[in-house]
Amino acid sequence: MAGYLARRFVQMLLVALIAAICSYGLLYLVPGGPIDQLLAERQNAGQNRISEDDIRRVRERFELDIYLPFRFTRWLIGWPAGPLPGGIGADWQVGCAVPGQVRLRYPDGRIEVVEEGCEVPVTMADLEGRKVSRGIVFGDFGISQVMLRGRPVIDLIMTRLPYTLYLMGTSILLSILIAVPVGVYSAVKQYSRFDYIMTTVAFIGASLPSFVFGIFAILLFSVLAKNAGLPYLPPGDAVGVRDYTIPLIGTVQAGSLLDRFLRFLMPCGVLTFINIAGWSRFVRGSMLEVLSLDYVRTARAKGVAERVVILKHALRNSLIPFVTLLAGILVALFSGALITETVFNWPGIGRLFIDALGRNDYNVVMALLIINVVLLLIGILITDILYTVVDPRIRLT
C-alpha cells in the first residue's frame, strides 16, 4: 500500500502540473481579455478618453507585459521577482511593456497595423518592487485583480465557500440516501409500476439541463404560486434584503433562519432531483447485473431469505461501480453547481467562478481551477482505496 500511495502521489503531482500549464495557457490565450475590452472602449469613446499610458498601466496590472512562461512561474512559485542575487540577470528581458507597431499598406488601399518587435522591454530589474505572490505551490493564490481589488484571493473564496458547502453537501447527502434505495428497489421490482414511474422520472431528470429545472421551479413555486395567492418560495439569493409576507406563513424577516431556509429549498431541490435521476439509474443497472449472477441464484436456491440475498449478497457488490461516481464528490462540494447557482443567484463558488471569468479576474479563476484539479485527484485516490473496502478481492500493489 505504501509503494502504491507513493507512486500515485508522484503521478498526482505530474497531472496537477500539466493541468495547471494547460489551464493557465488557455486562459490567457483566449480572446476577450482586459486589453481587448479597453481597446473596444477606446474605439467607442475616442482616443482622447483612453491614452496609451492607460493601456500600459492595465497591461502591468494584469502582468500582460510579462511573457507567458515567466508569468506562469510567478503564479506558480513566485519567481522571478527581480534580479538574481548579486544583480545577475538584471538586464534579461522577460516581457514587453510597449509592443512595436508596423503599418501595412495593401495594394487595394487597405491599411493594417500589426504588432512586431518591442519598443519598451521589461527586464528582470523592472520586476523588482512589483507585487507578486509566494506561489500556489506555497499556498498563496495571489490577490484579486477585479472583484476584490488588492485583497487576497483566498479571502474571496472563503466568503463564498460556506454557501456552497451546505448547499452541495445537503443535496449530495439527500441524493445518496434516496437514489440508492430507489435504484435497488427498482431493480428488485423490475418492470413493476414503480420501476416504470422511476424510469420515466429518471429519463426526464437526465435529459434536461439543470437551468431548465431551475427556471421551471422559479416559475412554478415562485411566480405562479405568488400570483395565485398561494404560499410561495423566494426566487433567488441566499439572504433577503427586506421583509416579505407569505400566505399561511406570515411575515418573514430578511436574514432570519426561516428566510434562509425558504431560499435554500429550490436550488437544493433541483440539484437533488438531477442527482437522483442519474444515480438511481446507475444503481438499478448495476443491481440488475449482480442479481443475475450465479452466486445470487445459489443463495436463493439454498433458501436464504430474499432480504438477506438483496442486502448482504447483492447490494455490496452492486455498489462497486457506484463508488466510481463518488470520486467527484469532493470537487462538487467545493466548486458547487455553476448553472444552478447562477440561475438562483446563489453566492457560492460556482457563481464566483462565472463572475470571475466574465470580469477577467484571472487569479480567482486559476485558483478555483487548480483547487478543483487537486480535489479531483484526491477523490480518485480515495475511490481506489474504497474499492478495497467494498471488494476484498481488490488489492493495491
Side-chain angles (χ1 to χ4, degrees), residues 148-207:
L148 283 180
R149 187 173 177 179
R151 295 283 301 279
V153 172
I154 191 64
D155 291 349
L156 182 57
I157 293 177
M158 294 306 297
T159 59
R160 302 291 189 95
L161 186 59
Y163 292 100
T164 292
L165 286 180
Y166 78 80
L167 173 63
M168 297 304 301
T170 304
S171 64
I172 290 174
L173 179 61
L174 290 175
S175 301
I176 294 176
L177 294 178
I178 298 174
V180 173
V182 167
V184 171
Y185 191 78
S186 296
V188 174
K189 302 295 182 180
Q190 188 181 15
Y191 303 132
S192 64
R193 180 176 299 178
F194 177 84
D195 185 30
Y196 282 126
I197 293 175
M198 293 309 303
T199 299
T200 303
V201 172
F203 281 154
I204 295 174
S207 59

Side-chain angles (χ1 to χ4, degrees), residues 307-373:
R307 182 178 180 180
V308 177
V309 172
I310 299 300
L311 298 180
K312 183 177 180 179
H313 297 281
L315 179 59
R316 183 173 181 178
N317 288 333
S318 68
L319 291 181
I320 294 177
F322 182 70
V323 171
T324 306
L325 296 179
L326 303 181
I329 283 185
L330 282 178
V331 178
L333 283 174
F334 175 80
S335 62
L338 301 179
I339 305 301
T340 303
E341 289 187 0
T342 302
V343 169
F344 291 101
N345 198 29
W346 187 263
I349 296 295
R351 178 64 187 274
L352 173 63
F353 181 82
I354 296 295
D355 291 342
L357 198 59
R359 299 174 65 179
N360 298 313
D361 202 336
Y362 296 137
N363 284 343
V364 176
V365 174
M366 281 306 305
L368 297 178
L369 286 176
I370 198 64
I371 291 175
N372 283 340
V373 170

Side-chain angles (χ1 to χ4, degrees), residues 41-101:
E41 294 177 4
R42 179 181 181 179
Q43 184 177 3
N44 296 330
Q47 189 170 358
N48 295 330
R49 295 285 300 276
I50 301 176
S51 64
E52 291 294 337
D53 291 337
D54 296 329
I55 298 178
R56 182 171 178 175
R57 281 194 295 269
V58 171
R59 287 176 58 87
E60 181 178 342
R61 172 184 163 193
F62 287 89
E63 295 196 341
L64 297 177
D65 57 345
I66 302 176
Y67 295 141
L68 188 60
F70 297 103
R71 201 186 313 158
F72 174 74
T73 57
R74 282 169 63 86
W75 171 78
L76 185 68
I77 58 176
W79 183 89
L84 298 176
I88 300 175
D91 57 345
W92 293 351
Q93 183 175 350
V94 294
C96 180
V98 179
Q101 293 184 343

